[in-house]
mmCIF file of all heavy atoms in Angstrom:
data_model
loop_
_atom_site.group_PDB
_atom_site.id
_atom_site.type_symbol
_atom_site.label_atom_id
_atom_site.label_comp_id
_atom_site.label_asym_id
_atom_site.label_seq_id
_atom_site.Cartn_x
_atom_site.Cartn_y
_atom_site.Cartn_z
ATOM 1 N N ARG R 68 33.190 -10.587 26.005
ATOM 2 C CA ARG R 68 34.152 -9.477 26.039
ATOM 3 C C ARG R 68 33.542 -8.238 26.705
ATOM 4 O O ARG R 68 34.164 -7.609 27.551
ATOM 5 C CB ARG R 68 34.598 -9.146 24.605
ATOM 6 C CG ARG R 68 35.823 -8.246 24.556
ATOM 7 C CD ARG R 68 36.379 -8.105 23.155
ATOM 8 N NE ARG R 68 35.496 -7.382 22.276
ATOM 9 C CZ ARG R 68 34.918 -7.880 21.193
ATOM 10 N NH1 ARG R 68 35.129 -9.131 20.844
ATOM 11 N NH2 ARG R 68 34.131 -7.147 20.437
ATOM 12 N N VAL R 110 11.021 -16.789 37.528
ATOM 13 C CA VAL R 110 12.486 -16.795 37.658
ATOM 14 C C VAL R 110 12.987 -15.377 37.919
ATOM 15 O O VAL R 110 12.392 -14.403 37.461
ATOM 16 C CB VAL R 110 13.191 -17.355 36.386
ATOM 17 C CG1 VAL R 110 12.845 -18.803 36.168
ATOM 18 C CG2 VAL R 110 12.856 -16.537 35.161
ATOM 19 N N ALA R 149 4.633 -23.589 15.041
ATOM 20 C CA ALA R 149 5.847 -23.700 14.207
ATOM 21 C C ALA R 149 7.048 -24.072 15.064
ATOM 22 O O ALA R 149 7.111 -23.726 16.249
ATOM 23 C CB ALA R 149 6.112 -22.367 13.511
#
Side-chain angles (χ1 to χ4, degrees):
R68 194 171 68 243
V110 296

